[in-house]
């Protein structure tokens, strides 16, 4: 009863303060792809992703009703930084669906012209003016949006600007962005939320890096939680001092507090159960510098195994360069790649559940040994070779042999080396739909593919990779080019385990080096991945993407054909930039990967699709 | 071909081509579709006053198709020169369009013609045709297509003077569209801006970018009275993609340039 009354009160009181036009609401998720394309066409940086923003605490005066209802403490603001453009997950502030949708496209267009916002009035006005000047078609829709904004009713995450003191100036500025003297009359410190504009990023980027070395600990399989589609602010605190912990002084001298309380909560129980909703409730997620702490329960448990338990390192490691997009230079010898060979694997046969699949695939691959093409002047064949016939007729001395006047489709050898590079990072430990883990799917794929390839003359090598920062890139040899496919190879593939991160650029560079030693006419680099390149140092977001892209470009320059197969459903947003339009394939149902990869290989390497 | 085939030079390609012609060197032209490769060759043929024999290459094209074959006539068999042989004999330009589509062994027939020898051995008749003084070999292809089994043999590539083409810059493209269609400068400029924006989508949603040729087609339709927005939709958006989401984005883009729904 109490709950019912509470719910009723909540509905009643929020209705007094908000009017969402739910019937006209538009979701970002449905528009993400066109918005991204639109943003890029207008000149937005291809490395930035469009993502949903999070409601954000605003320092505005609330009316009594709003305070009673507890609404409008947080508002939905659009913002952007180096990595991405963050737009409201839903827009329902205008009564017409058309307008709400147009607002999304306006925001995407505006962000393409905006730097990271410093002055909320001046920057937005300037960018609007430039945009309207360059795209005269936008003027009509801009006017409509401004009119709608001025007359807008306050909704859950948007506030009517008439509630602010600077309303007349603001309306004036909104209506004439071209000829306004950039909002110098309005101070920068108390931004008014205008749905049409972008705002400065919420907090400074956490600049304190994670710095404790991953200490040896047994690897535990932990659940990975994913937040549903929203962007959280992050800050990182320096909690290394052992004396830190409790604040011991008189409480009266406390000036303020933030949500970070320096308590050591390692032993807190049941954190797993509600960790996602806890993360959702927090405005700022504070990350500890010590990854052993409770925060480790979310994701940071990637400690290296002790040398006894680890695979056998081969050699002293290989130094490789890395592309730093901020400096726009290839930093030589930045990465240390360690080839690894499993010494604990036991040779084994092909698992039973794959045997019938392999039997189905092998005929296709046997036929692939040679490419089929027309051969002329054959004594027998499928079609008449007119030239051959004419020649034999024109011949002054008729040979007693049979006329060779047919053409036949026969096979001819080809020269192709393929290196399969599999992502073995910890993210492959997650589950796919039917209870299988990604790593198991990858394992099956590798086994089935090498089984099929064993029946062609194409040469195959298989490597896996993972990484912990730039000085430890693990490059697992599963099968090299000269080695025959055998029980040993299968044993090594069966022994792959997920771990660590994805420094894709270095792995690609090393794979290219291996491929180049082959001297084949065609060299194909197939990459199996399950997500974006990332690592725990600066190798994430744009840095990782730019480095990988650079490695792919280098590969192309060396005459290697890189191709990426991914099971990441978000891959359409970044893979085209990495591998080009024809350079990748997204597998929607990961469990089908083992069968799809061989098919894809056939499709990629067969010249005559109709044959 | 006549000298009045309109072509607006983007750089020093005309000069390079003329020098290559003077020194009997073959030319390789690469560039995206619809950027003016074929138009350039025709323009140069006009300037040099030579005929042009064009062969559109495909993967069943054989050396016979280029060199020639025996045919049967009323009085028995006779030899018929192929386009390449004809060009070699009469001193014309032989233009092999999209040469990567042809099989690699076919293009080997070009080798003796594309180095200092400048001869074409005709195996069937035993004839060794020495190239006419004015004979010139020109090949072109679009490096954007990705099929791992296709591509030029390095030994073929290394016999050519290379010219890389791209879409012309905004001013030149505006001038080209105006000249080709007679459309007003304002519309031409807007079309070029739209084309420029669409080209940013290459590899992000579009396999190929909006070519100068497509922009010219759009301008033609506008000139004929079709509304700007409709012309852009049917001549730019639809030919570029089948994907509904990409079409939505392009439609919005067109609206940003040419006004939106009332």
């Amino acid at each position: 009863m109490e709950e019912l009354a509470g719910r009723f009160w909540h509905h009643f009181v929020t209705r007094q303060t908000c009017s969402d036009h739910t019937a006209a609401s538009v979701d970002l998720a449905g528009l993400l792809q066109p918005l991204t394309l639109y943003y890029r066409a207008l000149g937005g940086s291809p490395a930035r992703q469009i993502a949903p923003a999070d409601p954000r605490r605003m320092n505005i005066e609330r009316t009594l009703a709003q305070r009673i209802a507890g609404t409008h403490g947080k508002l939905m603001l659009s913002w952007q930084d180096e990595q991405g453009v963050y737009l409201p997950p839903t827009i329902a502030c205008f009564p017409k669906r058309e307008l709400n949708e147009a607002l999304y496209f306006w925001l995407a267009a505006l962000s393409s012209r905006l730097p990271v916002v410093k002055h909320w009035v001046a920057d937005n006005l300037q960018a609007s003016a430039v945009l309207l000047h360059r795209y005269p078609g936008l003027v009509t829709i801009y006017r409509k949006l401004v009119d709608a904004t001025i007359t807008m009713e306050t909704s859950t995450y948007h506030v009517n600007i008439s509630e602010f003191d600077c309303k007349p100036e603001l309306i004036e500025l909104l209506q004439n962005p071209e000829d306004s003297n950039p909002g110098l009359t309005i101070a920068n410190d108390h931004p008014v939320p205008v749905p049409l504009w972008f705002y400065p990023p919420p907090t400074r980027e956490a600049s304190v890096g994670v710095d404790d070395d991953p200490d040896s600990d047994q690897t535990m399989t932990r659940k990975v939680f994913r937040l549903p589609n929203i962007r959280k602010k992050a800050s990182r605190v320096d909690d290394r001092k052992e004396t830190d912990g409790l604040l011991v002084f008189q409480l009266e001298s406390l000036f303020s507090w933030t949500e970070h309380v320096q308590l050591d909560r390692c032993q807190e129980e049941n954190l797993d159960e509600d960790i996602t909703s806890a993360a959702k409730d927090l405005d700022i997620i504070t990350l500890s510098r010590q990854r052993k702490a409770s925060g480790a329960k979310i994701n940071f448990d990637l400690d290296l195994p002790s040398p006894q338990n680890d695979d056998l390192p081969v050699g002293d490691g290989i130094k490789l360069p890395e592309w730093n997009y901020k400096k726009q230079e290839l930093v030589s010898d930045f990465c240390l790649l360690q080839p690894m060979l499993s010494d604990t694997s036991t040779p084994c046969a092909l698992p039973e559940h794959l045997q019938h699949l392999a039997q189905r695939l092998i005929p296709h691959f046997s036929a692939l040994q040679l490419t089929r093409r027309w051969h002329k002047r054959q004594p027998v064949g499928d079609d008449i070779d007119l030239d051959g016939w004419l020649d034999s007729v024109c011949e002054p001395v008729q040979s007693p042999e049979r006329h060779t006047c047919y053409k036949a489709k026969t096979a001819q050898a080809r020269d192709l080396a393929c290196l399969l590079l599999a992502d073995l990072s910890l993210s492959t430990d997650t589950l796919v739909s039917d209870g299988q883990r990604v790593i198991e799917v990858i394992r099956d794929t590798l086994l089935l593919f090498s089984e099929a390839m064993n029946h062609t003359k194409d040469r195959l090598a298989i490597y896996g990779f993972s990484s912990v920062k730039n000085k430890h890139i693990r490059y697992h040899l599963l099968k090299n080019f000269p080695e025959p496919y055998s029980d040993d190879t299968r044993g090594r593939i069966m022994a792959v385990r997920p771990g660590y991160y994805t420094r894709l650029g270095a792995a690609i560079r090393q794979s290219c080096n291996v491929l180049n030693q082959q001297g084949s006419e065609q060299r194909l680099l197939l990459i199996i991945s399950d997500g974006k390149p990332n690592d725990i140092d600066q190798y994430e977001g744009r840095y990782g993407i730019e480095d990988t892209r650079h490695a792919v470009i280098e590969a192309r320059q060396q005459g290697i054909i890189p191709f990426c197969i991914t099971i990441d459903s978000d891959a359409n947003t970044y893979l085209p930039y990495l591998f080009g339009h024809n350079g990748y394939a997204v597998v929607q149902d990961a469990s089908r990967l083992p069968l799809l990869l061989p098919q894809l290989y056939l499709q990629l390497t067969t010249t005559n699709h109709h044959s | 071909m006549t000298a009045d085939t309109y072509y607006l030079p983007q750089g020093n390609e005309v000069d390079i081509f003329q020098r290559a012609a003077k020194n009997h060197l073959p030319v390789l032209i690469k560039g995206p579709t619809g950027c003016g490769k074929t138009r350039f060759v025709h323009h140069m043929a006009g300037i040099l006053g030579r005929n042009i024999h064009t062969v559109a290459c495909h993967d069943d094209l054989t050396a016979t198709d280029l060199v020639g074959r025996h045919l049967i006539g009323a009085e028995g068999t006779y030899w018929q020169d192929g386009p390449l042989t004809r060009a070699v004999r009469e001193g014309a330009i032989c233009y092999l369009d999209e040469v990567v589509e042809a099989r690699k062994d076919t293009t080997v027939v070009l080798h003796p013609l594309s180095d200092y020898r400048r001869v074409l051995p005709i195996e069937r008749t035993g004839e060794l045709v020495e190239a006419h003084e004015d004979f010139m070999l020109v090949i072109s292809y679009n490096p954007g297509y990705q099929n791992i089994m296709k591509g030029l043999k390095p030994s073929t590539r290394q016999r050519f003077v290379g010219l890389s083409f791209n879409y012309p810059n905004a001013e030149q493209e505006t001038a080209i569209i105006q000249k080709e269609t007679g459309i007003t400068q304002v519309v031409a400029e807007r079309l070029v801006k739209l084309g420029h924006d669409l080209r940013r989508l290459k590899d992000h949603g579009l396999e190929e970018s909006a070519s100068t040729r497509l922009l010219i087609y759009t301008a033609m339709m506008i000139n004929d009275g079709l509304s700007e927005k409709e012309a852009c939709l049917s001549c730019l958006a639809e030919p570029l993609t089948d994907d509904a989401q990409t079409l939505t984005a392009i439609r919005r883009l067109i609206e940003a340039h040419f006004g939106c729904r009332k």
Side-chain angles (χ1 to χ4, degrees), chain A residues 466-510:
Chain A
S466 57
S467 67
V468 184
K469 299 196 194 170
N470 59 330
K471 296 294 178 229
H472 192 84
I473 297 143
R474 302 160 65 90
Y475 194 66
H476 299 267
L477 196 168
L478 302 175
K479 177 191 176 307
N480 64 15
F481 277 112
E483 183 188 10
Y485 176 65
S486 64
D487 285 354
D488 292 325
T489 327
R490 276 190 286 265
R492 256 176 266 147
I493 294 175
M494 290 301 284
V496 294
R497 282 188 307 268
Y500 324 111
Y501 304 93
T502 322
R503 212 176 190 92
L504 187 52
I508 290 179
R509 286 190 183 95
Q510 176 60 14

Coordinates of all heavy atoms in Angstrom, one line a residue, chain A residues 466-510:
Chain A
S466 N 47.7 -11.4 -27.2 CA 47.1 -10.6 -26.2 C 48.2 -9.7 -25.7 O 49.3 -9.8 -26.1 CB 46.5 -11.5 -25.1 OG 47.5 -12.3 -24.6
S467 N 47.9 -8.8 -24.8 CA 48.9 -7.8 -24.4 C 48.7 -7.3 -23.0 O 47.5 -7.2 -22.5 CB 49.0 -6.7 -25.4 OG 47.8 -5.9 -25.3
V468 N 49.8 -6.9 -22.4 CA 49.7 -6.1 -21.1 C 50.6 -5.0 -21.3 O 51.8 -5.1 -21.2 CB 50.1 -6.9 -19.9 CG1 49.9 -6.1 -18.6 CG2 49.3 -8.2 -19.8
K469 N 50.1 -3.8 -21.7 CA 50.9 -2.6 -22.0 C 51.9 -2.9 -23.2 O 51.9 -4.0 -23.7 CB 51.7 -2.2 -20.8 CG 50.8 -1.8 -19.6 CD 51.6 -0.9 -18.6 CE 50.8 -0.8 -17.3 NZ 51.7 -0.2 -16.3
N470 N 52.7 -1.9 -23.5 CA 53.5 -2.0 -24.7 C 54.7 -2.9 -24.5 O 55.3 -3.3 -25.5 CB 53.9 -0.6 -25.1 CG 54.8 0.1 -24.0 OD1 54.5 -0.2 -22.8 ND2 55.7 0.9 -24.4
K471 N 55.1 -3.2 -23.3 CA 56.3 -4.0 -23.1 C 56.0 -5.5 -23.0 O 56.9 -6.3 -22.7 CB 57.1 -3.6 -21.9 CG 57.6 -2.2 -22.0 CD 58.6 -2.0 -23.1 CE 59.1 -0.6 -23.2 NZ 59.1 -0.1 -24.6
H472 N 54.8 -5.9 -23.1 CA 54.5 -7.3 -23.0 C 53.3 -7.7 -23.9 O 52.2 -7.8 -23.5 CB 54.1 -7.7 -21.6 CG 54.1 -9.2 -21.3 ND1 55.3 -9.9 -21.0 CD2 53.1 -10.1 -21.4 CE1 54.9 -11.2 -20.9 NE2 53.7 -11.3 -21.1
I473 N 53.7 -7.9 -25.2 CA 52.7 -8.3 -26.1 C 52.9 -9.8 -26.4 O 54.0 -10.2 -26.8 CB 52.7 -7.5 -27.4 CG1 52.4 -6.0 -27.1 CG2 51.8 -8.0 -28.5 CD1 53.2 -5.1 -27.9
R474 N 51.9 -10.6 -26.0 CA 52.1 -12.0 -26.1 C 51.6 -12.5 -27.5 O 50.5 -12.3 -27.8 CB 51.3 -12.7 -25.0 CG 51.7 -12.2 -23.6 CD 50.6 -12.4 -22.6 NE 50.4 -13.9 -22.3 CZ 51.1 -14.6 -21.4 NH1 52.0 -14.0 -20.7 NH2 50.8 -15.9 -21.3
Y475 N 52.5 -13.1 -28.2 CA 52.2 -13.5 -29.6 C 52.3 -15.1 -29.6 O 53.5 -15.6 -29.7 CB 53.2 -12.9 -30.5 CG 52.9 -12.9 -32.0 CD1 51.8 -12.2 -32.5 CD2 53.7 -13.6 -32.8 CE1 51.5 -12.2 -33.8 CE2 53.4 -13.6 -34.2 CZ 52.3 -12.9 -34.7 OH 52.0 -12.9 -36.0
H476 N 51.2 -15.7 -29.5 CA 51.3 -17.2 -29.3 C 51.4 -17.9 -30.7 O 50.5 -17.7 -31.6 CB 50.0 -17.7 -28.7 CG 49.8 -17.2 -27.3 ND1 50.2 -17.8 -26.2 CD2 49.2 -16.0 -26.9 CE1 49.9 -17.1 -25.1 NE2 49.3 -16.0 -25.5
L477 N 52.4 -18.7 -30.8 CA 52.5 -19.5 -32.0 C 51.6 -20.7 -31.9 O 51.8 -21.5 -31.0 CB 54.0 -19.9 -32.2 CG 54.5 -20.4 -33.5 CD1 56.0 -20.5 -33.5 CD2 53.9 -21.7 -34.0
L478 N 50.7 -20.8 -32.8 CA 49.8 -22.0 -32.8 C 50.2 -23.0 -33.9 O 50.2 -24.2 -33.8 CB 48.3 -21.6 -32.9 CG 47.9 -20.7 -31.7 CD1 46.5 -20.2 -31.9 CD2 48.0 -21.4 -30.4
K479 N 50.5 -22.3 -35.1 CA 51.0 -23.1 -36.2 C 51.8 -22.2 -37.1 O 51.2 -21.1 -37.5 CB 49.8 -23.7 -37.0 CG 50.3 -24.5 -38.2 CD 49.2 -24.9 -39.2 CE 49.7 -25.6 -40.4 NZ 50.7 -24.9 -41.2
N480 N 53.0 -22.5 -37.4 CA 53.7 -21.6 -38.3 C 53.6 -22.2 -39.7 O 53.0 -23.2 -40.0 CB 55.2 -21.4 -37.9 CG 56.0 -22.7 -37.9 OD1 55.6 -23.7 -38.5 ND2 57.1 -22.6 -37.2
F481 N 54.2 -21.4 -40.7 CA 54.0 -21.8 -42.1 C 54.6 -23.2 -42.4 O 53.9 -24.0 -43.0 CB 54.5 -20.7 -43.0 CG 53.6 -19.6 -43.2 CD1 53.8 -18.3 -42.7 CD2 52.4 -19.8 -43.9 CE1 52.9 -17.3 -42.9 CE2 51.5 -18.8 -44.1 CZ 51.7 -17.5 -43.6
P482 N 55.9 -23.4 -42.1 CA 56.4 -24.7 -42.6 C 55.9 -26.0 -41.9 O 55.8 -27.0 -42.5 CB 57.9 -24.6 -42.3 CG 58.1 -23.4 -41.5 CD 56.9 -22.6 -41.5
E483 N 55.4 -25.8 -40.6 CA 55.0 -26.9 -39.9 C 53.8 -27.6 -40.4 O 52.8 -26.9 -40.8 CB 54.7 -26.4 -38.5 CG 54.3 -27.4 -37.5 CD 53.8 -26.7 -36.2 OE1 53.6 -25.5 -36.2 OE2 53.6 -27.5 -35.2
P484 N 53.8 -28.9 -40.6 CA 52.5 -29.5 -41.1 C 51.4 -29.5 -40.0 O 51.7 -29.5 -38.8 CB 53.0 -31.0 -41.4 CG 54.2 -31.2 -40.5 CD 54.8 -29.9 -40.3
Y485 N 50.2 -29.5 -40.4 CA 49.1 -29.5 -39.5 C 49.0 -30.9 -38.9 O 48.9 -31.9 -39.6 CB 47.8 -29.2 -40.3 CG 46.6 -29.3 -39.5 CD1 46.4 -28.4 -38.4 CD2 45.6 -30.2 -39.8 CE1 45.2 -28.4 -37.7 CE2 44.4 -30.3 -39.1 CZ 44.2 -29.4 -38.0 OH 43.1 -29.4 -37.3
S486 N 49.1 -31.0 -37.6 CA 49.2 -32.3 -36.9 C 48.4 -32.2 -35.6 O 47.9 -31.2 -35.2 CB 50.6 -32.6 -36.7 OG 51.1 -31.7 -35.8
D487 N 48.5 -33.3 -34.8 CA 47.9 -33.4 -33.5 C 48.6 -32.4 -32.6 O 47.9 -31.8 -31.7 CB 48.1 -34.8 -32.9 CG 47.2 -35.8 -33.6 OD1 46.3 -35.4 -34.4 OD2 47.3 -37.0 -33.3
D488 N 49.9 -32.1 -32.8 CA 50.5 -31.1 -32.0 C 49.9 -29.7 -32.1 O 49.6 -29.0 -31.2 CB 52.0 -31.0 -32.3 CG 52.8 -32.2 -31.9 OD1 52.4 -32.8 -30.9 OD2 53.7 -32.6 -32.7
T489 N 49.6 -29.4 -33.4 CA 49.0 -28.1 -33.7 C 47.6 -28.0 -33.0 O 47.3 -27.0 -32.4 CB 48.8 -28.0 -35.2 OG1 49.8 -28.6 -35.9 CG2 48.7 -26.5 -35.6
R490 N 46.9 -29.1 -33.2 CA 45.6 -29.1 -32.6 C 45.7 -29.0 -31.1 O 44.9 -28.2 -30.5 CB 44.8 -30.4 -32.9 CG 44.2 -30.4 -34.3 CD 43.3 -31.6 -34.4 NE 44.1 -32.8 -34.7 CZ 44.4 -33.2 -35.9 NH1 43.9 -32.6 -37.0 NH2 45.1 -34.3 -36.1
G491 N 46.6 -29.6 -30.5 CA 46.8 -29.5 -29.0 C 47.1 -28.1 -28.6 O 46.5 -27.6 -27.6
R492 N 47.9 -27.4 -29.4 CA 48.2 -26.0 -29.0 C 47.0 -25.1 -29.2 O 46.7 -24.3 -28.4 CB 49.3 -25.5 -30.0 CG 50.7 -25.4 -29.2 CD 51.7 -25.0 -30.2 NE 52.4 -26.2 -30.8 CZ 52.9 -26.2 -32.0 NH1 52.8 -25.2 -32.8 NH2 53.5 -27.3 -32.4
I493 N 46.2 -25.4 -30.2 CA 45.0 -24.6 -30.4 C 44.0 -24.9 -29.2 O 43.4 -24.0 -28.7 CB 44.3 -24.9 -31.7 CG1 45.2 -24.5 -32.9 CG2 43.0 -24.2 -31.8 CD1 44.7 -24.8 -34.3
M494 N 43.9 -26.1 -28.8 CA 43.0 -26.5 -27.7 C 43.5 -25.8 -26.4 O 42.7 -25.6 -25.5 CB 43.0 -28.0 -27.5 CG 42.3 -28.8 -28.6 SD 40.6 -28.3 -28.9 CE 39.8 -29.1 -27.4
A495 N 44.7 -25.5 -26.3 CA 45.3 -25.0 -25.1 C 45.1 -23.5 -25.0 O 45.5 -22.9 -23.9 CB 46.7 -25.4 -24.9
V496 N 44.6 -22.8 -25.9 CA 44.6 -21.3 -25.8 C 43.6 -20.9 -24.7 O 42.6 -21.5 -24.5 CB 44.2 -20.6 -27.2 CG1 45.2 -20.8 -28.2 CG2 42.8 -21.1 -27.6
R497 N 44.0 -19.9 -24.0 CA 43.2 -19.4 -22.9 C 43.1 -17.9 -23.1 O 44.0 -17.2 -23.5 CB 43.9 -19.7 -21.6 CG 43.8 -21.1 -21.1 CD 44.3 -21.2 -19.7 NE 45.7 -20.7 -19.6 CZ 46.8 -21.4 -19.7 NH1 46.7 -22.7 -20.0 NH2 48.0 -20.9 -19.6
P498 N 41.9 -17.4 -22.6 CA 41.8 -15.9 -22.7 C 42.6 -15.2 -21.7 O 42.8 -15.7 -20.6 CB 40.3 -15.7 -22.6 CG 39.8 -16.9 -21.8 CD 40.7 -18.0 -22.1
G499 N 43.1 -14.0 -22.0 CA 43.7 -13.2 -20.9 C 44.2 -11.9 -21.5 O 44.4 -11.7 -22.7
Y500 N 44.2 -10.9 -20.6 CA 44.8 -9.6 -20.9 C 44.1 -8.8 -22.0 O 42.9 -9.0 -22.2 CB 46.3 -9.8 -21.2 CG 46.9 -10.8 -20.4 CD1 47.3 -12.0 -21.0 CD2 47.0 -10.7 -19.0 CE1 47.8 -13.0 -20.2 CE2 47.5 -11.7 -18.2 CZ 47.9 -12.9 -18.8 OH 48.4 -13.9 -18.0
Y501 N 44.8 -8.0 -22.7 CA 44.2 -6.9 -23.5 C 44.5 -7.1 -25.0 O 45.2 -8.1 -25.4 CB 44.6 -5.5 -23.0 CG 44.3 -5.4 -21.6 CD1 45.2 -5.6 -20.6 CD2 43.0 -4.9 -21.2 CE1 44.9 -5.5 -19.3 CE2 42.7 -4.8 -19.9 CZ 43.6 -5.1 -18.9 OH 43.3 -4.9 -17.6
T502 N 44.1 -6.1 -25.8 CA 44.2 -6.3 -27.2 C 45.0 -5.2 -27.9 O 44.5 -4.2 -28.3 CB 42.7 -6.2 -27.8 OG1 41.8 -6.8 -26.9 CG2 42.6 -6.8 -29.2
R503 N 46.3 -5.3 -27.9 CA 47.1 -4.4 -28.6 C 47.3 -4.8 -30.1 O 48.2 -5.5 -30.5 CB 48.5 -4.2 -28.0 CG 49.1 -2.8 -28.1 CD 50.4 -2.7 -27.3 NE 50.8 -1.3 -27.2 CZ 50.5 -0.6 -26.2 NH1 49.8 -1.0 -25.2 NH2 50.9 0.7 -26.2
L504 N 46.3 -4.5 -30.9 CA 46.1 -5.1 -32.2 C 47.2 -4.6 -33.1 O 47.7 -5.4 -34.0 CB 44.8 -4.7 -32.7 CG 44.3 -5.4 -34.0 CD1 44.5 -6.9 -34.0 CD2 42.9 -5.0 -34.3
G505 N 47.6 -3.3 -33.0 CA 48.6 -2.8 -34.0 C 49.9 -3.6 -34.0 O 50.4 -4.0 -35.1
A506 N 50.4 -3.9 -32.9 CA 51.7 -4.6 -32.8 C 51.6 -6.0 -33.4 O 52.4 -6.5 -34.1 CB 52.2 -4.6 -31.4
A507 N 50.5 -6.6 -33.0 CA 50.2 -8.0 -33.5 C 50.1 -8.0 -35.0 O 50.7 -8.9 -35.7 CB 49.0 -8.6 -32.9
I508 N 49.5 -7.0 -35.6 CA 49.4 -6.9 -37.1 C 50.8 -6.7 -37.7 O 51.1 -7.4 -38.7 CB 48.4 -5.8 -37.5 CG1 47.0 -6.1 -37.1 CG2 48.6 -5.5 -39.0 CD1 46.0 -5.0 -37.5
R509 N 51.6 -5.8 -37.1 CA 52.9 -5.6 -37.6 C 53.8 -6.8 -37.7 O 54.4 -7.1 -38.6 CB 53.6 -4.5 -36.8 CG 53.0 -3.1 -37.1 CD 53.8 -2.0 -36.6 NE 53.1 -0.7 -36.8 CZ 52.3 -0.2 -36.0 NH1 52.1 -0.7 -34.8 NH2 51.6 0.9 -36.3
Q510 N 53.7 -7.6 -36.5 CA 54.5 -8.8 -36.5 C 54.0 -9.8 -37.5 O 54.8 -10.5 -38.2 CB 54.5 -9.4 -35.1 CG 55.2 -10.7 -34.9 CD 56.7 -10.6 -35.3 OE1 57.3 -9.5 -35.4 NE2 57.3 -11.8 -35.5

